[in-house]
Amino acid sequence: MKTELALLAELHQDAQRQGPGSEEATRLALSLTRLSPDAPLRVADIGCGTGASTLVLAQALPRASILALDFLPSFLQRLGERAQALGVARRIRRCLADMHCPPITPASLDLIWSEGAIYNMGFASGVRTWLSLLRPGGILAVSEITWLHECRPEALERHWDAAYGEMGTAADKLRTLEAAGYEPLGYFPLPASCWTENYYDPLEARFSEFLAAHPSPEARRIVEEERAEISLFRQYGASVSYGFYIAAKPATSSRPDFSPHRRHNT
Ligand code: SAM
């Protein structure tokens, strides 16, 4: 019998993405990093799934080398196939590892990317742990579930507070980043289409085939939970989204960062 994790992997492994987001949002967040797209950046995409953001980064940063890290082999396999098809596989190194202790040299990265995945560590612990992997002046770009308003429908609040112990507003998340030692550079919430058109609609379309392949109580329970979350979003989506947070590890010097990898507007 398949474990819950194996069933979840199977439900999601043929999808373009495993969480809310879009190519436009990835590109907007990348522009807020102010990194030069022409620099030979060292990048890690942590919790990369089947490569939704990894592949956008590989195309937008033609000289970057990207470590794509995930703990599910089937996701990395799909990412490899997609990277081959796009002709960017040479610059992507797939890494099967746990995001709690990534096999990455401290202070070696120009950019850490992570979409919809840091909740697995908890935002506060994740941003603290990953700070040490960035070079001084390096950038973190991370998406994280975020309350859009101080007042929320009770049913929505109950659902997400039970699912994740670090629900908070953008102000809470920015405070967490500052407390961990980052300088916030930008924030924007993902539009609802990132959830519906790009994530929930394709997920719903896979349910019947998944249940036919796995006629088990575990598979039924997974689908029921997904359906409940989708229904809540359809009712109350305006109160919750993913927020994209872009923040810098301060350069060691107190002077502005004039490293060649940063783009400066004149
Ligand atoms: N970034 C992808 C996207 O936006 O499509 C995937 C997002 S999905 C919601 C979260 C990802 O984190 C999954 O690919 C999952 O396998 C990965 N993940 C969860 N826990 C992990 C861990 N402890 N170490 C590494 N990857 C993990």
Side-chain angles (χ1 to χ4, degrees):
M1 202 181 67
K2 290 206 179 226
T3 62
E4 181 178 353
L5 186 60
L7 285 169
L8 279 168
E10 213 166 303
L11 176 59
H12 289 276
Q13 70 199 11
D14 292 326
Q16 298 287 312
R17 57 182 325 118
Q18 286 70 41
S22 70
E23 174 168 350
E24 294 72 32
T26 299
R27 288 184 182 273
L28 175 57
L30 185 58
S31 71
L32 294 172
T33 65
R34 291 180 245 163
L35 288 164
S36 166
D38 303 320
L41 300 168
R42 292 149 304 174
V43 182
D45 186 354
I46 301 185
C48 58
T50 62
S53 48
T54 321
L55 300 174
V56 176
L57 294 174
Q59 290 171 296
L61 303 171
R63 294 184 63 211
S65 50
I66 305 178
L67 183 85
L69 184 149
D70 205 283
F71 75 162
L72 288 179
S74 63
F75 286 6
L76 290 177
Q77 170 74 27
R78 295 297 194 284
L79 188 157
E81 291 158 7
R82 294 174 74 191
Q84 282 289 352
L86 288 173
V88 294
R90 201 178 41 81
R91 289 184 295 108
I92 298 176
R93 186 157 68 83
R94 289 172 288 154
C95 174
L96 185 67
D98 187 341
M99 64 170 73
H100 291 83
C101 43
I104 297 172
T105 308
S108 65
L109 295 173
D110 299 299
L111 176 62
I112 294 180
W113 206 268
S114 185
E115 293 196 25
I118 198 169
Y119 72 90
N120 290 293
M121 292 180 71
F123 188 74
S125 165
V127 300
R128 265 199 318 272
T129 304
W130 298 348
L131 182 74
S132 64
L133 306 177
L134 288 171
R135 65 160 171 87
I139 307 290
L140 172 74
V142 62
S143 74
E144 159 81 341
I145 185 109
T146 298
W147 291 128
L148 300 183
H149 309 293
E150 283 293 354
C151 288
R152 277 93 50 179
E154 208 184 310
L156 188 74
E157 192 157 274
R158 226 179 307 115
H159 170 83
W160 281 110
D161 281 345
Y164 184 39
E166 289 187 40
M167 287 302 295
T169 61
D172 296 327
K173 301 294 169 186
L174 291 167
R175 258 195 305 277
T176 301
L177 282 166
E178 286 178 336
Y182 291 87
E183 294 168 356
L185 299 179
Y187 156 75
F188 63 92
L190 297 186
S193 59
C194 285
W195 294 72
T196 51
E197 284 161 40
N198 296 355
Y199 178 55
Y200 283 151
D201 294 353
L203 175 61
E204 269 186 316
R206 296 193 300 276
F207 285 159
S208 50
E209 197 179 327
F210 173 73
L211 288 173
H214 303 285
S216 67
E218 291 74 21
R220 270 200 304 280
R221 193 179 50 72
I222 285 174
V223 169
E224 275 161 25
E225 284 178 9
E226 300 277 18
R227 281 197 207 283
E229 185 186 304
I230 294 171
S231 153
L232 270 175
F233 189 84
R234 294 223 163 101
Q235 283 180 76
Y236 306 119
S239 291
V240 71
S241 191
Y242 268 79
F244 228 123
Y245 299 86
I246 298 89
K249 176 174 180 167
T252 39
S253 121
S254 55
R255 292 169 49 223
D257 179 10
F258 288 113
S259 102
H261 292 170
R262 299 289 289 280
R263 182 166 54 195
H264 295 283
N265 298 324
T266 47

